[in-house]
Amino acid sequence: MEVNAPKQLSQSSRKGRRAWRKNVDISDIQEGLDKVREETIIHGTTLNSISSDQLFAVDTTVSKSALKKVGKKPLKVDEILAPSSAIPALVSRKRRIEDEAAALKKKYKVQGVTYKELGRLLPVAGRTADAKSSLANLETDSRIIKHMYDVWAEDGSVDAKTEDNDAKPPESRTKKNKDLLANAKEIRLFETTSHAKMQNRPSTITRPPIAFKESTKAVNEPIEGQSYNPSLESWQELLGQENAALEKVEKARLREEEHKERIERLQELLDERERLGLDEVDSDEEVEASPAVSTVEVKKEESLESATGAPPVPSTELDKTIIDLTRAKSKVRKHKLGKYAIMERPVAVKLSDELTDSLRLVKPEGNPAKDRFISLQERGIIESRVQVMPGRKYKKKVTEKWSYKDIK
Amino acid sequence: MRIKKKHQAGAAKNFITRTQAVKKLQLSLADFRRICIFKGIYPRAPRSAKKANKGSTAPTTFYYTKDIQYLLHEPVIQKFREHKIFARKLSRALGRGDVSDAKRLDENRPRYRLDKVVKERYPTLLDAIRDLDDALSMLFLFAAMPASDKVTARVTEDAEKLCSQWMAYVARERLLRKVFVSIKGVYYEAEIKGQEVVWLVPFKFPQNVPTDVDFRIMSTFLEFYTTLIQFVLYRLYTDAGIVYPPKIDSARAHGVGGISAYVIESKREKESLIDTSNAEKAAITESEMVSRAQTISTVLNKANNPAAEDKAEPVAVDGDDVDEEVTETLDKFTALPSTDKVISDIIPQPEDISPEDAIKSLLSPFTFYIGREVPLDIVELAIIAQGGAVISESVLDGYLHVDTDAVPEAEEVDFDARQREVDALLKKVTHQVCDRPALASKVPGRIYVQPQWIFDSLNRGRLMPVDEYAIGATLPPHLSPWGDGAGYDPEEVEKADEVEESEEEEEEEEEVEDEEDEVEETAEVEVEEEDEGEEDDALQHQRELEAEARGIMYSSTTSKKRKRGNEKPKKSVEQKQAEEEKELRKIMMTNKQKKLYNQMQYGIQKKETRKEALKTKRRKLEKNKQHKKRVL
């Protein structure tokens, strides 16, 4: 951008002291300054201060890549991002100090240990603010096995077929460890612990986990309506299902709200009557709330029902199938495993305006990490937990500062 | 008699609460959770929590006491304890400022391996493959995750590496059976050693890391599954005669990555590579240069290496052999050219390829050019697993327009030669996969399809008509190969229909004869049932004798008899009875059972109606077809 001095007025006369001083033509000086500024932007300094051998060089070689480069048009993005000035940008004082410190850290060591190494050790020891030592360990001890071998080899040794020299057996199979193992048997005889080591796996360990859903597959069969380009029927069906589920939740919420409102209203009525000084007995009669059914009572009823409705002795095939079905049903758990209920799957359906028939335009629905986590909970592999943030240990106390004493 | 104390036997002994278990194992809760995941110990639900928890009804998690007892001597737990000690020492050293001490401690830190745990949980390879769904889905999930404070970059890198190794194996061995692109990600099914393995791959979009997911638990699963999958991959690779771990083409990995970066070589090749002289080595490097431009198909098979070619393409070669053998064993009847006098019948010949083999070599004659806008990872795997070759636009771009600043000075890139190579490659292209509403210029001789064509062809096991999937065409719906057919198998129905038709014909023939008998019989049935059976037997005996006299086979008569329509009324009576009985039982049922029964019936009814709808649709279509034929 070029900045010019204000244009000279067509003033014929420069008579008088003021006029003489005011109407000076400085355009040539302005031009010179502009030139110098431009040179400094391009070269860092003025051209005069650069020696000519720095400015010019005689190119005697021809490089193919250079030739190719000449023909290649730079991308617009690169053009925009390229620095427009050779003058380095200004750096704040704080930033400069930080950078210098970082450079120092890179360069120097503490007792022969680099700062980088130290930075890795601190979280392992749990000495950082957000210490997650297990994650830190996973980071340092990669689970990629360097010396692969066949775990399922029948003779328990390295796969005979591979004959790779780098495939080493794990530690326990070396001769030294075998001797140790033999000794261990003797040692066990003189063990002082009260319990003996279990020799075999208990049968309980192989029992499948208690699932919350009927399908215990790790990856459930995909829902047809969730296709990126679904058929109309399957999509409508899925939409209907999700809608029904949401409606149910919404209805329950509305019912609860209504109940709350009603109680509030009654409370208000009661208060008003008290204020007016009406008879208490009267008010009780008029404000008759329907007797709330306690959960205990409901449970009692249910238990009674189940007691009387004990499964009858199977007489026919039909009865048998029904009883089998009830048993199969009972395997699916309804109640939570621990303290908390499992997470609920969010609604995953595209609305009509979001549907596309192009793979390019597809927008994924839901979070895959969350889905996997919920799947683990549904299959009963992990218990559901709720992250509890540690609260404040002591109560906050407000006191007045005693600084007013300082006035003396 | 001794008085039994409460909570000394039964559930109280069989179950143990989590707190008790943690105390017994002398671990922290976090470590306890980790060991449970490693060893496959799940929370349990006693029938009565009150009995199991010594009278307390507070919500608690229970475990089997035996499971916990079994954990007591677990070597990994010992390592956990050692690690706790190490962490304390390290913390102390760092607190004192003894940094060199801390480093020494860290070098000798206790490390644990999960090899034995894997072997214990999965005694055979097949067991491991059966449980691979979860492992693969977890790995693919982490491979797509961004590095954050919860998941480190190294973890995601490792996961990505293993995923690519898995995909390279599936692609090379052509084991992919089903693909389904959903809004959740892409579902794949492969058949590994006779086992169906299903996994879900999230789309390669930046995901946000959810806050309500405990990533300590997820990464513990990942830790175990990483070990598991490596052992599985090692076995699968060695069984297929390939070197594990496969090499990575670093140049490609830097650019597009994915399975295309994997150079898979067979074991024999490795040996031959060692033996080859310098001249041959030079040739190989040259061929590698070529293969760098192509994608996985050529890289995997090493088609440019003539010494290894016979070994490198085992699947394709074997497939051809099988085909030939089959044609030798099954005689094929070819129709004679029909003359004016004799019109020769054309008999439909049995197909000599099983559907699985058909999938394996479905796209084998084709080379696909994949546009830049198409997600390469999904399409590439599907194409190569069906035997096609892949050339990707983005890879070619990277090859032709190398950033000259990034290449060291010593490596002069010959762009003209590269251009020539690429041109030669592009001549092979038969199909172009394109996902744009319109294309400005089309290359003649190429077939343009949208990516869904590849998936649908794989799922159906035959090539879909190309015109439905052309550029700009409204695609047919992408149906799930797992489907909601409700057990409807179109081919099976075809057979059943044939049988029905033949039955109907027979019925028509015999109906006239039996009409009178039927009327009599139906009248009789209601009056005296028991006698009817005897009478029927006698009649049948008489007929059999007559048939024998005429010289008709016994089996044919009986089969006819069974198919005959005159049994229908008898059946209906039985059905009536059964229905009545059902009604009676329904009355006897408790409310709960009744609901359950109704639910069951509803499900069956739904399935049946769906099946019926599909059948009628099919019949309609077939009728239309026939009608068209007649018109023509």
Side-chain angles (χ1 to χ4, degrees):
Chain A
M1 203 172 69
E2 215 169 331
V3 182
N4 284 326
K7 208 185 170 189
Q8 293 280 327
L9 292 170
S10 54
Q11 191 178 359
S12 54
S13 131
R14 286 180 75 192
K15 280 175 190 165
R17 211 173 182 193
R18 280 178 81 190
W20 181 259
R21 281 194 183 158
K22 203 174 181 183
N23 307 324
V24 190
D25 186 12
I26 55 162
S27 59
D28 53 335
I29 298 165
Q30 200 75 42
E31 253 171 48
L33 278 173
D34 279 346
K35 206 180 166 192
V36 169
R37 205 173 292 131
E38 207 172 298
E39 276 169 11
T40 28
I41 282 171
I42 293 165
H43 303 287
T45 49
T46 52
L47 277 178
N48 286 346
S49 58
I50 303 171
S51 60
S52 54
D53 56 322
Q54 265 183 316
L55 279 174
F56 305 105
V58 182
D59 186 11
T60 51
T61 56
V62 181
S63 102
K64 271 186 184 174
S65 59
L67 273 178
K68 194 82 191 175
K69 225 178 181 178
V70 168
K72 219 166 79 178
K73 197 186 160 195
L75 294 175
K76 191 75 190 165
V77 191
D78 294 335
E79 261 178 34
I80 293 165
L81 287 177
S84 54
S85 165
I87 306 167
L90 288 174
V91 182
S92 71
R93 191 169 158 272
K94 197 185 161 204
R95 173 86 184 277
R96 201 177 62 229
I97 290 165
E98 276 174 3
D99 283 356
E100 277 167 8
L104 261 180
K105 272 190 179 178
K106 242 185 192 176
K107 216 174 174 185
Y108 291 106
K109 291 175 179 176
V110 182
Q111 298 174 18
V113 181
T114 56
Y115 265 95
K116 196 184 170 191
E117 188 75 11
L118 196 58
R120 190 183 60 80
L121 286 178
L122 283 169
V124 173
R127 279 199 170 260
T128 46
D130 52 340
K132 280 164 198 152
S133 64
S134 61
L135 267 185
N137 287 331
L138 197 65
E139 166 75 348
T140 45
D141 295 348
S142 168
R143 285 276 149 225
I144 299 292
I145 303 163
K146 274 180 191 161
H147 304 291
M148 276 305 294
Y149 69 101
D150 187 3
V151 244
W152 293 292
E154 272 159 29
D155 54 345
S157 64
V158 186
D159 190 4
K161 281 182 284 177
T162 58
E163 287 173 16
D164 276 343
N165 289 327
D166 20 285
K168 272 187 197 164
E171 293 163 31
S172 63
R173 297 215 183 93
T174 54
K175 205 193 160 196
K176 196 183 164 191
N177 274 319
K178 263 184 189 167
D179 292 346
L180 269 177
L181 274 178
N183 285 336
K185 267 184 190 172
E186 284 174 25
I187 292 164
R188 211 174 297 138
L189 284 175
F190 305 105
E191 239 173 8
T192 51
T193 44
S194 58
H195 48 263
K197 186 179 175 181
M198 264 177 127
Q199 295 296 319
N200 299 318
R201 297 180 83 199
S203 62
T204 48
I205 214 167
T206 51
R207 289 188 198 166
I210 301 141
F212 285 83
K213 291 277 152 75
E214 273 183 65
S215 159
T216 51
K217 283 178 186 169
V219 181
N220 280 331
E221 275 173 9
I223 300 163
E224 181 108 47
Q226 283 184 350
S227 163
Y228 87 98
N229 177 18
S231 64
L232 185 68
E233 301 135 26
S234 63
W235 173 73
Q236 274 171 344
E237 197 188 325
L238 178 67
L239 198 70
Q241 278 172 15
E242 298 282 17
N243 194 32
L246 282 181
E247 239 170 41
K248 213 175 168 184
V249 173
E250 181 63 15
K251 265 183 192 166
R253 192 187 66 84
L254 285 178
R255 224 180 294 132
E256 201 174 310
E257 224 164 65
E258 207 174 287
H259 186 65
K260 260 186 200 167
E261 255 174 41
R262 194 163 150 269
I263 284 173
E264 266 172 30
R265 219 168 43 231
L266 288 175
Q267 190 65 44
E268 267 172 33
L269 211 71
L270 211 66
D271 288 349
E272 206 170 315
R273 285 193 174 235
E274 259 175 35
R275 198 164 47 83
L276 290 172
L278 283 170
D279 203 4
E280 269 187 35
V281 185
D282 281 2
S283 67
D284 272 353
E285 271 173 7
E286 282 187 29
V287 188
E288 50 173 275
S290 61
V293 186
S294 72
T295 47
V296 180
E297 277 174 357
V298 170
K299 271 185 186 169
K300 260 187 193 170
E301 254 176 39
E302 273 177 10
S303 68
L304 262 175
E305 207 172 84
S306 67
T308 50
V313 183
S315 52
T316 58
E317 274 185 37
L318 188 73
D319 281 344
K320 269 182 196 168
T321 49
I322 287 166
I323 283 164
D324 280 349
L325 264 169
T326 44
R327 273 178 196 156
K329 277 260 168 179
S330 66
K331 269 182 195 168
V332 178
R333 249 194 105 64
K334 278 178 192 165
H335 303 292
K336 50 206 176 179
L337 265 180
K339 205 173 178 183
Y340 305 101
I342 59 169
M343 281 158 88
E344 279 192 10
R345 280 186 185 276
V347 178
V349 67
K350 289 270 172 210
L351 299 179
S352 58
D353 56 330
E354 295 168 328
L355 281 175
T356 59
D357 67 338
S358 167
L359 196 56
R360 183 171 46 95
L361 302 174
V362 141
K363 274 184 197 136
E365 193 77 31
N367 190 297
K370 199 170 175 180
D371 282 351
R372 207 96 281 283
F373 194 66
I374 291 173
S375 160
L376 287 173
Q377 287 188 350
E378 278 178 351
R379 280 179 285 149
I381 288 175
I382 53 171
E383 55 179 327
S384 48
R385 294 179 78 241
V386 172
Q387 199 179 10
V388 182
M389 285 307 201
R392 175 176 284 282
K393 258 190 182 175
Y394 309 105
K395 212 180 174 186
K396 247 186 189 173
K397 207 173 164 187
V398 183
T399 56
E400 204 175 324
K401 271 198 172 180
W402 282 43
S403 47
Y404 66 87
K405 285 187 175 175
D406 298 343
I407 297 167
K408 273 180 196 174
Chain B
M1 201 186 89
R2 266 186 80 184
I3 299 162
K4 265 190 184 175
K5 275 186 185 171
K6 245 184 176 181
H7 313 307
Q8 295 285 325
K13 276 277 163 201
N14 293 338
F15 292 96
I16 186 170
T17 62
R18 195 185 65 185
T19 330
Q20 285 168 342
V22 165
K23 273 184 186 161
K24 188 168 191 175
L25 294 175
Q26 298 180 16
L27 286 172
S28 66
L29 183 59
D31 279 345
F32 174 73
R33 246 186 277 127
R34 292 178 73 208
I35 195 70
C36 282
I37 289 168
F38 288 152
K39 296 283 281 185
I41 288 165
Y42 314 117
R44 304 290 172 173
R47 212 169 295 148
S48 160
K50 197 178 171 187
K51 275 179 188 165
N53 202 7
K54 300 191 172 68
S56 163
T57 49
T60 17
T61 318
F62 293 94
Y63 292 88
Y64 282 133
T65 315
K66 274 187 180 174
D67 288 2
I68 303 302
Q69 188 80 22
Y70 180 59
L71 280 183
L72 273 173
H73 292 273
E74 177 59 40
V76 178
I77 284 192
Q78 195 53 43
K79 288 278 178 192
F80 281 172
R81 295 196 190 116
E82 279 170 24
H83 190 274
K84 196 175 141 198
I85 297 161
F86 151 76
R88 195 170 60 219
K89 282 180 183 168
L90 186 75
S91 178
R92 184 184 291 162
L94 284 172
R96 283 177 176 162
D98 298 339
V99 181
S100 59
D101 262 9
K103 209 201 167 193
R104 182 183 49 76
L105 277 170
D106 182 59
E107 275 164 6
N108 303 320
R109 137 171 53 147
R111 291 175 170 85
Y112 62 91
R113 293 181 65 150
L114 297 172
D115 308 19
K116 286 201 167 170
V117 181
V118 168
K119 166 91 176 177
E120 188 190 276
R121 280 182 71 178
Y122 308 106
T124 60
L125 175 68
L126 276 187
D127 291 327
I129 290 175
R130 248 173 248 138
D131 216 14
L132 220 51
D133 294 10
D134 210 2
L136 282 171
S137 299
M138 193 68 84
L139 275 163
F140 274 98
L141 164 69
F142 272 90
M145 290 264 285
S148 62
D149 58 336
K150 285 174 177 166
V151 186
T152 51
R154 185 165 175 182
V155 169
T156 55
E157 264 170 36
D158 283 353
E160 200 177 356
K161 206 163 109 188
L162 290 176
C163 288
S164 304
Q165 285 173 2
W166 168 260
M167 287 203 290
Y169 171 77
V170 169
R172 192 197 129 108
E173 298 296 309
R174 303 186 185 177
L175 298 168
L176 199 65
R177 293 289 168 272
K178 287 171 188 172
V179 183
F180 180 60
V181 184
S182 86
I183 49 174
K184 290 261 174 201
V186 187
Y187 289 82
Y188 294 99
E189 185 186 300
E191 198 185 310
I192 314 288
K193 306 236 173 218
Q195 301 288 332
E196 282 172 1
V197 178
V198 184
W199 72 97
L200 173 66
V201 182
F203 286 112
K204 285 201 170 170
F205 287 119
Q207 329 168 2
N208 56 339
V209 182
T211 47
D212 47 356
V213 171
D214 193 349
F215 271 90
R216 279 173 303 174
I217 283 179
M218 296 288 267
S219 48
T220 311
F221 273 105
L222 183 79
E223 210 179 330
F224 178 70
Y225 288 142
T226 310
T227 315
L228 169 69
I229 211 144
Q230 278 178 94
F231 284 125
V232 172
L233 277 177
Y234 177 78
R235 263 296 287 272
L236 293 178
Y237 269 66
T238 41
D239 285 357
I242 328 167
V243 181
Y244 185 83
K247 273 190 204 163
I248 306 171
D249 188 344
S250 57
R252 183 88 52 64
H254 194 70
V256 181
I259 32 176
S260 58
Y262 277 78
V263 182
I264 293 188
E265 53 187 24
S266 56
K267 297 227 141 170
R268 222 170 74 189
E269 245 175 88
K270 194 185 178 189
E271 286 157 23
S272 71
L273 272 178
I274 297 160
D275 294 337
T276 46
S277 61
N278 284 335
E280 274 183 85
K281 268 185 188 168
I284 288 161
T285 50
E286 223 169 83
S287 70
E288 269 178 356
M289 286 289 290
V290 176
S291 68
R292 209 177 275 177
Q294 304 165 6
T295 30
I296 185 176
S297 58
T298 42
V299 180
L300 289 184
N301 294 333
K302 277 238 164 180
N304 294 308
N305 192 351
E309 202 169 35
D310 55 343
K311 180 77 187 176
E313 276 184 298
V315 181
V317 172
D318 288 353
D320 290 346
D321 282 349
V322 170
D323 291 354
E324 277 163 31
E325 276 166 31
V326 171
T327 46
E328 275 166 27
T329 50
L330 281 177
D331 287 339
K332 274 206 170 183
F333 298 98
T334 47
L336 289 167
S338 46
T339 54
D340 296 338
K341 287 175 186 174
V342 186
I343 299 163
S344 59
D345 287 338
I346 296 165
I347 306 159
Q349 296 298 319
E351 290 204 342
D352 47 16
I353 309 166
S354 70
E356 283 179 11
D357 286 338
I359 290 177
K360 277 181 184 176
S361 53
L362 199 62
L363 305 178
S364 54
F366 308 134
T367 304
F368 289 84
Y369 183 72
I370 295 168
R372 182 184 297 121
E373 73 282 359
V374 181
L376 187 62
D377 52 333
I378 311 171
V379 178
E380 191 179 33
L381 179 62
I383 290 176
I384 294 160
Q386 296 178 76
V390 172
I391 296 170
S392 141
E393 193 180 357
S394 43
V395 173
L396 280 191
D397 284 353
Y399 186 59
L400 284 179
H401 309 289
V402 181
D403 193 2
T404 35
D405 297 331
V407 177
E409 278 298 310
E411 253 185 71
E412 284 278 303
V413 186
D414 189 357
F415 282 99
D416 293 336
R418 282 195 174 186
Q419 187 65 51
R420 262 177 271 127
E421 269 173 35
V422 169
D423 288 343
L425 262 179
L426 288 181
K427 268 177 198 164
K428 290 181 194 165
V429 175
T430 54
H431 288 68
Q432 180 160 343
V433 183
C434 182
D435 197 1
R436 295 171 200 242
L439 256 191
S441 61
K442 284 185 183 178
V443 182
R446 276 188 202 173
I447 300 167
Y448 286 79
V449 286
Q450 295 195 41
Q452 199 188 317
W453 181 74
I454 296 156
F455 311 139
D456 284 357
S457 299
L458 175 70
N459 291 339
R460 296 286 168 83
R462 63 187 160 83
L463 294 177
M464 301 302 286
V466 180
D467 53 328
E468 285 176 24
Y469 298 87
I471 295 175
T474 315
L475 288 172
H478 179 52
L479 301 177
S480 161
W482 286 272
D484 70 335
Y488 169 78
D489 183 7
E491 278 164 33
E492 193 184 292
V493 169
E494 214 171 288
K495 281 172 208 162
D497 279 352
E498 277 168 29
V499 175
E500 265 178 41
E501 275 170 33
S502 58
E503 269 178 44
E504 276 170 11
E505 280 166 27
E506 276 171 36
E507 273 171 37
E508 275 167 34
E509 283 171 13
E510 287 176 33
E511 235 171 346
V512 190
E513 294 170 30
D514 291 332
E515 247 177 348
E516 288 162 30
D517 292 16
E518 252 177 73
V519 177
E520 281 172 19
E521 265 177 22
T522 43
E524 275 173 10
V525 161
E526 279 171 33
V527 182
E528 32 184 26
E529 265 181 21
E530 289 171 9
D531 293 5
E532 194 248 331
E534 284 171 30
E535 234 181 61
D536 228 353
D537 280 1
L539 246 171
Q540 198 188 340
H541 187 65
Q542 182 69 25
R543 270 181 199 149
E544 275 169 19
L545 282 177
E546 277 172 23
E548 208 180 341
R550 264 182 274 155
I552 300 165
M553 290 282 282
Y554 172 75
S555 58
S556 64
T557 54
T558 48
S559 62
K560 258 188 188 174
K561 164 84 184 150
R562 258 172 222 149
K563 281 173 196 168
R564 272 168 58 169
N566 61 356
E567 264 194 357
K568 268 184 187 170
K570 195 180 162 191
K571 250 190 183 174
S572 74
V573 169
E574 272 176 10
Q575 273 175 351
K576 248 185 201 173
Q577 269 191 340
E579 267 169 33
E580 271 173 25
E581 211 173 321
K582 260 187 201 173
E583 283 299 313
L584 279 173
R585 287 203 186 288
K586 242 184 171 178
I587 294 164
M588 293 292 286
M589 274 183 222
T590 59
N591 202 20
K592 212 174 179 182
Q593 285 172 331
K594 217 182 273 175
K595 272 180 194 165
L596 194 65
Y597 178 76
N598 284 341
Q599 243 178 14
M600 193 177 80
Q601 289 302 318
Y602 172 76
I604 293 168
Q605 195 74 28
K606 206 176 156 192
K607 252 186 197 174
E608 282 297 312
T609 46
R610 176 75 182 144
K611 222 170 171 179
E612 238 358 90
L614 285 172
K615 263 186 195 171
T616 46
K617 199 176 173 188
R618 188 192 170 87
R619 261 183 223 139
K620 238 185 210 172
L621 283 173
E622 258 161 27
K623 251 184 199 173
N624 279 348
K625 247 188 216 171
Q626 279 177 356
H627 185 70
K628 268 184 192 171
K629 266 186 194 172
R630 271 175 210 162
V631 169
L632 286 171

